[in-house]
Amino acid sequence: MPGWVLLVAPVLAILLALYVLPVASIFTESFLVDGKVSLGNYTGFFGTEQYVGILLRTFLFALVATLLCGVLAYPYAFLLTRVTGRLKIVLVALVLVPFWTSMLARTYAWLVLLQDNGPVQAFLQSLGITVPLLRSPAGVLIGMVQILLPFMVLPLYNTMSGIDRRLLHAAETLGANKLKAFVKVYFPLSLPGLMSGGIIVYVLSLGFYVTPAILGSPQTSLLSQLIVQEISQRLDWGSAGAMSVILVVLTLAFLALAARFLNLRSIFSNSEGDR
């Protein structure tokens, strides 16, 4: 037996036991109804208006969270490429520190901040603004964006830091003002970072559970919450399995669609600094 087989065998055994078999079990359960092979779990899902609504809401929330992350991350990443010294260290630390903090802790922090008697509501009320945050779509999106923002900032910064600034100076010497040089030269060169960050954030958003469960309400529940509900409350593994398969298939379909119009290999290689 070749030596490399002995080296990878333990890893393959662990992956098979902890990942492949559970996923295969969920996939199999999704096609079983009362012990018989059936598409009943799938037809039941798509035949229930409430379930389809939650599925559409999941993709809508993921899209909005991705757009908000892009809008907030782009100027921040641009600023990171312009500053130096201690200010740059502080800005980089603000991006990296959330990675070292539990998502659950950050979500509970938002629970305190967004509650009706919390500091955010007090500030808004001082401005004469009354907006429900906790148990609302706004609260869920605020939590999701704060947690996912670093996944957009880092690919953008990686791409922007590789853009040759002399191209902007060249555009300005050819007659373009600063805004036109940015729009015509800098922004297109930064698109690979924006696209790679957007794909990462969008895919991660589709599987969010903790933040919507804590900051949201039954009216803002997402598909991951519905899957947990089917398992923990109804013990309906078949229905939960069908929902999981539907989410995975639609996510893969999104990636395939993105690959149809975008060169994903080029985008991710550029974002990783493959220059």
Side-chain angles (χ1 to χ4, degrees):
M1 181 179 295
W4 64 268
V5 175
L6 295 177
L7 289 175
V8 301
V11 177
L12 292 177
I14 293 173
L15 288 176
L16 181 65
L18 300 182
Y19 182 74
V20 177
L21 290 180
V23 172
S25 175
I26 291 174
F27 182 79
T28 304
E29 287 284 348
S30 70
F31 289 97
L32 295 178
V33 177
D34 296 330
K36 298 179 181 178
V37 178
S38 170
L39 293 175
N41 291 319
Y42 292 91
T43 57
F45 178 85
F46 287 108
T48 305
E49 185 177 350
Q50 181 186 4
Y51 290 174
V52 176
I54 292 175
L55 177 65
L56 296 176
R57 185 189 302 139
T58 301
F59 280 84
L60 177 62
F61 272 46
L63 177 63
V64 175
T66 303
L67 293 176
L68 291 174
C69 283
V71 171
L72 295 174
Y74 197 92
Y76 193 90
F78 180 76
L79 181 61
L80 274 177
T81 63
R82 307 291 289 185
V83 299
T84 58
R86 292 183 178 178
L87 180 56
K88 186 166 188 171
I89 294 174
V90 171
L91 293 178
V92 172
L94 290 177
V95 177
L96 296 180
V97 165
F99 282 116
W100 307 329
T101 310
S102 166
M103 180 190 296
L104 189 62
R106 281 184 281 163
T107 303
Y108 273 115
W110 279 114
L111 182 65
V112 175
L113 292 172
L114 299 179
Q115 62 183 326
D116 293 339
N117 298 322
V120 176
Q121 282 288 12
F123 174 73
L124 292 177
Q125 290 174 2
S126 67
L127 299 176
I129 301 173
T130 304
V131 179
L133 295 176
L134 201 59
R135 313 301 178 199
S136 73
V140 174
L141 287 171
I142 289 173
M144 290 177 66
V145 169
Q146 191 273 329
I147 290 171
L148 293 170
L149 197 57
F151 294 98
M152 182 71 84
V153 171
L154 294 178
L156 265 173
Y157 170 68
N158 198 21
T159 299
M160 289 179 173
S161 61
I163 298 176
D164 192 343
R165 296 182 187 177
R166 291 175 298 181
L167 295 174
L168 292 175
H169 296 312
E172 292 174 11
T173 57
L174 292 174
N177 55 35
K178 290 185 179 297
L179 178 61
K180 191 171 184 179
F182 179 85
V183 173
K184 294 288 186 180
V185 178
Y186 192 90
F187 184 73
L189 291 174
S190 67
L191 277 179
L194 191 62
M195 294 296 180
S196 58
I199 291 172
I200 293 171
V201 169
Y202 190 77
V203 171
L204 290 176
S205 300
L206 293 176
F208 248 54
Y209 169 70
V210 173
T211 303
I214 294 176
L215 300 179
S217 66
Q219 287 72 34
T220 61
S221 61
L222 304 182
L223 191 59
S224 56
Q225 295 171 258
L226 186 58
I227 293 172
V228 173
Q229 177 183 316
E230 290 296 306
I231 294 175
S232 61
Q233 297 182 12
R234 300 181 57 190
L235 298 178
D236 191 344
W237 287 86
S239 178
M243 295 175 188
S244 303
V245 172
I246 290 169
L247 183 60
V248 171
V249 169
L250 292 179
T251 303
L252 294 177
F254 163 75
L255 291 175
L257 183 64
R260 178 69 177 80
F261 295 99
L262 302 171
N263 187 344
L264 296 184
R265 180 175 296 179
S266 173
I267 289 174
F268 283 103
S269 62
N270 284 336
S271 68
E272 291 167 359
D274 187 13
R275 292 178 283 271

